[in-house]
Amino acid sequence: METPVTIEQMILEGSCTAAWASNAGYKWDARVVGGDALAKRKRWLKLQASTTML
């Protein structure tokens, strides 16, 4: 979780959509190191972990 990810990586993994990223003001190739996008990704990863453990 400490490694920055790009918006493209988040879209590919499903933790955000291109529309959400665009509306939030993120540009392509942006490194996500904090803020709303990282919080959104952390929530998504936690949800994935809890649903795959069932």
Side-chain angles (χ1 to χ4, degrees):
M1 292 290 290
E2 297 298 320
T3 304
V5 297
T6 64
I7 289 295
E8 289 87 347
Q9 288 171 307
M10 290 179 59
I11 292 168
L12 287 174
E13 77 183 9
S15 62
C16 85
T17 64
W20 181 89
S22 179
N23 288 338
Y26 289 94
K27 304 295 182 199
W28 303 131
D29 296 328
R31 286 273 174 195
V32 179
V33 294
D36 291 344
L38 190 59
K40 183 177 184 64
R41 182 172 191 259
K42 287 180 180 180
R43 285 191 304 272
W44 181 86
L45 288 170
K46 186 176 180 180
L47 179 62
Q48 298 310 302
S50 66
T51 57
T52 57
M53 295 300 224
L54 297 176

Coordinates of all heavy atoms in Angstrom, one line a residue:
M1 N 0.8 -1.2 0.0 CA 0.0 0.0 0.0 C 0.9 1.3 0.0 O 0.4 2.3 -0.3 CB -0.9 0.0 1.2 CG -2.0 -1.0 1.2 SD -3.3 -0.7 -0.1 CE -4.1 0.7 0.6
E2 N 2.1 1.1 0.3 CA 3.0 2.3 0.4 C 3.4 2.8 -1.0 O 3.8 3.9 -1.2 CB 4.2 2.1 1.3 CG 3.9 1.8 2.7 CD 3.2 3.0 3.4 OE1 3.6 4.1 3.1 OE2 2.3 2.7 4.2
T3 N 3.4 1.9 -2.0 CA 3.8 2.2 -3.3 C 2.8 3.0 -4.0 O 1.6 2.6 -4.1 CB 4.1 0.9 -4.1 OG1 5.0 0.1 -3.4 CG2 4.7 1.2 -5.5
P4 N 3.2 4.2 -4.6 CA 2.2 5.0 -5.4 C 1.7 4.2 -6.6 O 2.4 3.4 -7.2 CB 3.0 6.2 -5.8 CG 4.2 6.2 -4.9 CD 4.5 4.8 -4.5
V5 N 0.5 4.4 -6.9 CA -0.1 3.8 -8.1 C -0.5 4.9 -9.1 O -0.6 6.0 -8.7 CB -1.3 2.9 -7.8 CG1 -0.9 1.7 -6.9 CG2 -2.4 3.7 -7.1
T6 N -0.8 4.5 -10.3 CA -1.3 5.5 -11.3 C -2.8 5.3 -11.4 O -3.4 4.3 -11.0 CB -0.7 5.3 -12.7 OG1 -1.1 4.0 -13.2 CG2 0.8 5.4 -12.6
I7 N -3.4 6.4 -11.9 CA -4.9 6.3 -12.2 C -5.2 5.1 -13.1 O -6.2 4.4 -12.9 CB -5.4 7.7 -12.8 CG1 -5.3 8.7 -11.7 CG2 -6.7 7.5 -13.4 CD1 -6.3 8.6 -10.5
E8 N -4.3 4.9 -14.1 CA -4.6 3.8 -15.0 C -4.6 2.5 -14.3 O -5.4 1.6 -14.6 CB -3.5 3.7 -16.1 CG -3.6 4.9 -17.1 CD -2.9 6.1 -16.7 OE1 -2.5 6.3 -15.5 OE2 -2.7 7.0 -17.5
Q9 N -3.7 2.3 -13.3 CA -3.6 1.0 -12.6 C -4.9 0.9 -11.8 O -5.5 -0.2 -11.7 CB -2.4 1.0 -11.6 CG -1.1 0.8 -12.3 CD 0.1 1.0 -11.4 OE1 0.2 2.1 -10.7 NE2 1.0 0.1 -11.3
M10 N -5.4 2.0 -11.2 CA -6.6 1.9 -10.4 C -7.8 1.6 -11.3 O -8.7 0.8 -10.9 CB -6.9 3.2 -9.7 CG -5.8 3.5 -8.6 SD -6.1 5.1 -7.7 CE -7.7 4.9 -7.1
I11 N -7.9 2.1 -12.5 CA -9.0 1.8 -13.4 C -8.9 0.3 -13.8 O -9.9 -0.4 -13.8 CB -8.9 2.7 -14.7 CG1 -9.2 4.2 -14.3 CG2 -9.9 2.2 -15.8 CD1 -8.9 5.2 -15.3
L12 N -7.7 -0.2 -14.1 CA -7.5 -1.6 -14.5 C -8.0 -2.5 -13.4 O -8.6 -3.6 -13.7 CB -6.1 -1.9 -15.0 CG -5.7 -1.3 -16.3 CD1 -4.2 -1.5 -16.6 CD2 -6.5 -1.9 -17.4
E13 N -7.6 -2.2 -12.2 CA -8.0 -3.1 -11.0 C -9.4 -2.9 -10.6 O -10.0 -3.8 -10.0 CB -7.1 -2.9 -9.9 CG -7.4 -1.6 -9.0 CD -6.4 -1.4 -7.9 OE1 -5.4 -2.0 -7.8 OE2 -6.7 -0.5 -7.1
G14 N -10.1 -1.8 -11.1 CA -11.5 -1.7 -10.8 C -11.8 -0.8 -9.6 O -12.9 -0.6 -9.2
S15 N -10.7 -0.2 -8.9 CA -11.0 0.6 -7.8 C -11.5 2.0 -8.1 O -11.9 2.7 -7.2 CB -9.7 0.7 -6.9 OG -8.6 1.3 -7.5
C16 N -11.4 2.4 -9.3 CA -12.0 3.7 -9.7 C -12.3 3.6 -11.2 O -11.9 2.7 -11.9 CB -11.2 4.9 -9.4 SG -9.9 5.4 -10.6
T17 N -13.1 4.5 -11.7 CA -13.5 4.5 -13.1 C -12.8 5.7 -13.8 O -12.4 6.7 -13.1 CB -15.0 4.6 -13.3 OG1 -15.4 5.9 -12.8 CG2 -15.7 3.5 -12.6
A18 N -12.7 5.7 -15.1 CA -12.2 6.8 -15.8 C -13.0 8.1 -15.6 O -12.5 9.2 -15.5 CB -12.1 6.5 -17.3
A19 N -14.3 7.9 -15.6 CA -15.2 9.0 -15.3 C -15.0 9.7 -14.0 O -14.9 10.9 -13.8 CB -16.7 8.6 -15.5
W20 N -14.9 8.8 -12.9 CA -14.6 9.3 -11.6 C -13.3 10.1 -11.6 O -13.2 11.2 -11.0 CB -14.6 8.2 -10.6 CG -14.4 8.7 -9.2 CD1 -15.3 9.1 -8.3 CD2 -13.1 8.9 -8.5 NE1 -14.7 9.6 -7.1 CE2 -13.4 9.5 -7.3 CE3 -11.8 8.8 -8.9 CZ2 -12.4 9.8 -6.4 CZ3 -10.8 9.1 -8.0 CH2 -11.1 9.6 -6.8
A21 N -12.2 9.5 -12.1 CA -10.9 10.1 -12.1 C -10.9 11.5 -12.8 O -10.4 12.4 -12.4 CB -9.9 9.2 -12.8
S22 N -11.6 11.5 -14.0 CA -11.7 12.7 -14.7 C -12.5 13.8 -14.0 O -12.0 14.9 -13.9 CB -12.4 12.4 -16.1 OG -12.5 13.6 -16.8
N23 N -13.6 13.4 -13.4 CA -14.4 14.3 -12.6 C -13.7 14.8 -11.4 O -13.9 16.0 -10.9 CB -15.7 13.7 -12.2 CG -16.7 13.6 -13.3 OD1 -16.6 14.3 -14.4 ND2 -17.6 12.7 -13.2
A24 N -12.8 14.0 -10.8 CA -12.0 14.4 -9.6 C -10.8 15.2 -10.0 O -10.1 15.7 -9.1 CB -11.6 13.1 -8.9
G25 N -10.5 15.4 -11.3 CA -9.4 16.3 -11.7 C -8.1 15.6 -11.9 O -7.1 16.2 -12.1
Y26 N -8.1 14.2 -11.9 CA -6.9 13.5 -12.1 C -6.5 13.4 -13.6 O -7.4 13.3 -14.4 CB -6.9 12.1 -11.5 CG -6.9 12.1 -10.0 CD1 -8.1 12.1 -9.3 CD2 -5.7 12.2 -9.3 CE1 -8.1 12.1 -7.9 CE2 -5.7 12.2 -7.9 CZ -6.9 12.2 -7.2 OH -6.8 12.2 -5.9
K27 N -5.3 13.6 -13.9 CA -4.8 13.5 -15.3 C -4.2 12.1 -15.5 O -3.7 11.5 -14.6 CB -3.7 14.5 -15.6 CG -4.2 15.9 -15.3 CD -5.3 16.4 -16.2 CE -5.7 17.8 -16.0 NZ -7.0 18.1 -16.5
W28 N -4.2 11.6 -16.7 CA -3.5 10.3 -17.0 C -2.1 10.4 -16.7 O -1.4 11.4 -16.8 CB -3.8 9.9 -18.5 CG -5.2 9.9 -18.9 CD1 -5.8 10.5 -20.0 CD2 -6.3 9.3 -18.2 NE1 -7.1 10.2 -20.0 CE2 -7.5 9.5 -18.9 CE3 -6.4 8.5 -17.0 CZ2 -8.7 9.0 -18.4 CZ3 -7.6 8.0 -16.6 CH2 -8.7 8.3 -17.3
D29 N -1.6 9.3 -16.2 CA -0.2 9.1 -15.8 C 0.1 9.8 -14.4 O 1.2 9.9 -14.0 CB 0.9 9.6 -16.8 CG 0.8 8.8 -18.1 OD1 0.6 7.6 -18.0 OD2 1.1 9.4 -19.2
A30 N -1.0 10.3 -13.8 CA -0.8 10.9 -12.5 C -0.5 9.8 -11.5 O -1.0 8.7 -11.5 CB -2.1 11.6 -12.0
R31 N 0.5 10.1 -10.6 CA 0.8 9.2 -9.5 C -0.1 9.5 -8.3 O -0.2 10.7 -7.9 CB 2.3 9.4 -9.1 CG 3.2 8.8 -10.0 CD 3.5 7.4 -9.7 NE 4.3 6.8 -10.8 CZ 4.5 5.5 -10.9 NH1 3.8 4.7 -10.1 NH2 5.2 5.0 -11.8
V32 N -0.7 8.5 -7.8 CA -1.7 8.7 -6.7 C -0.9 8.4 -5.4 O -0.5 7.3 -5.2 CB -2.9 7.8 -6.9 CG1 -3.8 8.0 -5.7 CG2 -3.6 8.1 -8.2
V33 N -0.6 9.4 -4.6 CA 0.1 9.2 -3.4 C -0.7 9.7 -2.2 O -0.2 9.6 -1.1 CB 1.4 10.0 -3.4 CG1 2.4 9.4 -4.5 CG2 1.2 11.5 -3.7
G34 N -1.9 10.1 -2.4 CA -2.7 10.5 -1.2 C -4.1 11.1 -1.8 O -4.4 11.0 -2.9
G35 N -4.8 11.6 -0.8 CA -6.1 12.3 -1.2 C -7.2 11.3 -1.4 O -7.2 10.2 -1.0
D36 N -8.3 11.8 -2.1 CA -9.5 11.0 -2.3 C -9.3 9.7 -3.1 O -9.9 8.7 -2.8 CB -10.5 11.9 -3.1 CG -11.1 13.0 -2.2 OD1 -10.8 13.0 -1.0 OD2 -11.7 13.9 -2.8
A37 N -8.4 9.8 -4.1 CA -8.2 8.6 -4.9 C -7.6 7.4 -4.1 O -8.0 6.3 -4.2 CB -7.4 8.9 -6.1
L38 N -6.6 7.8 -3.3 CA -6.0 6.8 -2.5 C -6.9 6.2 -1.4 O -7.0 5.0 -1.2 CB -4.7 7.3 -1.8 CG -3.8 6.2 -1.2 CD1 -3.4 5.2 -2.1 CD2 -2.6 6.9 -0.5
A39 N -7.7 7.1 -0.8 CA -8.7 6.7 0.2 C -9.7 5.8 -0.5 O -10.1 4.7 0.1 CB -9.4 7.9 0.8
K40 N -10.2 6.1 -1.7 CA -11.1 5.3 -2.5 C -10.5 3.9 -2.7 O -11.1 2.9 -2.6 CB -11.5 6.0 -3.8 CG -12.5 5.3 -4.6 CD -12.8 6.2 -5.9 CE -13.8 5.6 -6.7 NZ -15.1 5.5 -6.1
R41 N -9.2 3.9 -3.1 CA -8.6 2.6 -3.4 C -8.4 1.7 -2.2 O -8.7 0.5 -2.2 CB -7.2 2.9 -4.0 CG -6.5 1.6 -4.4 CD -5.2 1.9 -5.2 NE -4.7 0.6 -5.7 CZ -3.6 0.0 -5.2 NH1 -3.0 0.4 -4.1 NH2 -3.2 -1.1 -5.8
K42 N -8.1 2.4 -1.0 CA -7.9 1.6 0.2 C -9.3 1.0 0.6 O -9.3 -0.2 1.0 CB -7.4 2.5 1.3 CG -5.9 2.8 1.2 CD -5.5 3.7 2.3 CE -4.0 4.0 2.2 NZ -3.5 4.9 3.2
R43 N -10.4 1.7 0.5 CA -11.7 1.2 0.8 C -12.0 0.0 -0.2 O -12.5 -1.0 0.3 CB -12.8 2.3 0.7 CG -12.8 3.3 1.8 CD -14.0 4.1 1.8 NE -14.2 4.8 0.5 CZ -13.7 6.0 0.3 NH1 -13.0 6.7 1.2 NH2 -13.9 6.6 -0.9
W44 N -11.7 0.2 -1.4 CA -12.0 -0.9 -2.4 C -11.2 -2.1 -2.1 O -11.7 -3.2 -2.2 CB -11.6 -0.3 -3.8 CG -11.9 -1.3 -4.9 CD1 -13.1 -1.5 -5.6 CD2 -11.0 -2.2 -5.5 NE1 -13.0 -2.5 -6.5 CE2 -11.7 -2.9 -6.5 CE3 -9.6 -2.5 -5.3 CZ2 -11.1 -3.9 -7.3 CZ3 -9.0 -3.5 -6.1 CH2 -9.7 -4.2 -7.1
L45 N -9.9 -2.0 -1.8 CA -9.0 -3.1 -1.5 C -9.5 -3.8 -0.2 O -9.6 -5.1 -0.2 CB -7.6 -2.7 -1.3 CG -6.8 -2.3 -2.5 CD1 -5.5 -1.6 -2.2 CD2 -6.6 -3.4 -3.5
K46 N -10.0 -3.1 0.8 CA -10.5 -3.7 2.0 C -11.8 -4.5 1.7 O -12.0 -5.6 2.2 CB -10.8 -2.6 3.0 CG -11.2 -3.1 4.4 CD -11.3 -2.0 5.4 CE -11.8 -2.5 6.7 NZ -11.9 -1.4 7.7
L47 N -12.6 -3.9 0.8 CA -13.9 -4.6 0.5 C -13.5 -5.9 -0.3 O -14.2 -6.9 -0.1 CB -14.7 -3.7 -0.4 CG -16.1 -4.3 -0.9 CD1 -17.0 -4.6 0.3 CD2 -16.8 -3.3 -1.8
Q48 N -12.6 -5.8 -1.2 CA -12.2 -7.0 -2.0 C -11.7 -8.1 -1.1 O -12.0 -9.2 -1.2 CB -11.1 -6.7 -3.0 CG -11.5 -5.7 -4.1 CD -12.8 -6.0 -4.7 OE1 -13.0 -7.1 -5.3 NE2 -13.8 -5.1 -4.6
A49 N -10.9 -7.7 -0.1 CA -10.3 -8.7 0.9 C -11.4 -9.3 1.7 O -11.4 -10.5 1.9 CB -9.3 -8.0 1.8
S50 N -12.4 -8.5 2.1 CA -13.5 -9.1 2.9 C -14.4 -10.0 2.1 O -15.0 -11.0 2.6 CB -14.3 -8.0 3.6 OG -15.0 -7.2 2.7
T51 N -14.6 -9.7 0.8 CA -15.5 -10.5 0.0 C -14.9 -11.8 -0.5 O -15.6 -12.8 -0.7 CB -16.1 -9.7 -1.2 OG1 -15.1 -9.2 -2.0 CG2 -17.0 -8.6 -0.7
T52 N -13.5 -11.8 -0.6 CA -12.9 -13.0 -1.1 C -12.6 -13.9 0.0 O -12.3 -15.1 -0.2 CB -11.6 -12.6 -1.9 OG1 -10.7 -11.9 -1.0 CG2 -11.8 -11.8 -3.1
M53 N -12.7 -13.5 1.2 CA -12.5 -14.4 2.4 C -13.7 -15.2 2.8 O -13.6 -16.0 3.6 CB -12.0 -13.5 3.6 CG -10.7 -12.9 3.4 SD -9.4 -14.1 3.0 CE -8.1 -13.5 4.0
L54 N -14.8 -14.9 2.2 CA -16.0 -15.6 2.5 C -16.0 -17.1 2.1 O -15.5 -17.5 1.1 CB -17.3 -14.9 1.9 CG -17.5 -13.5 2.4 CD1 -18.7 -12.9 1.7 CD2 -17.8 -13.5 3.9

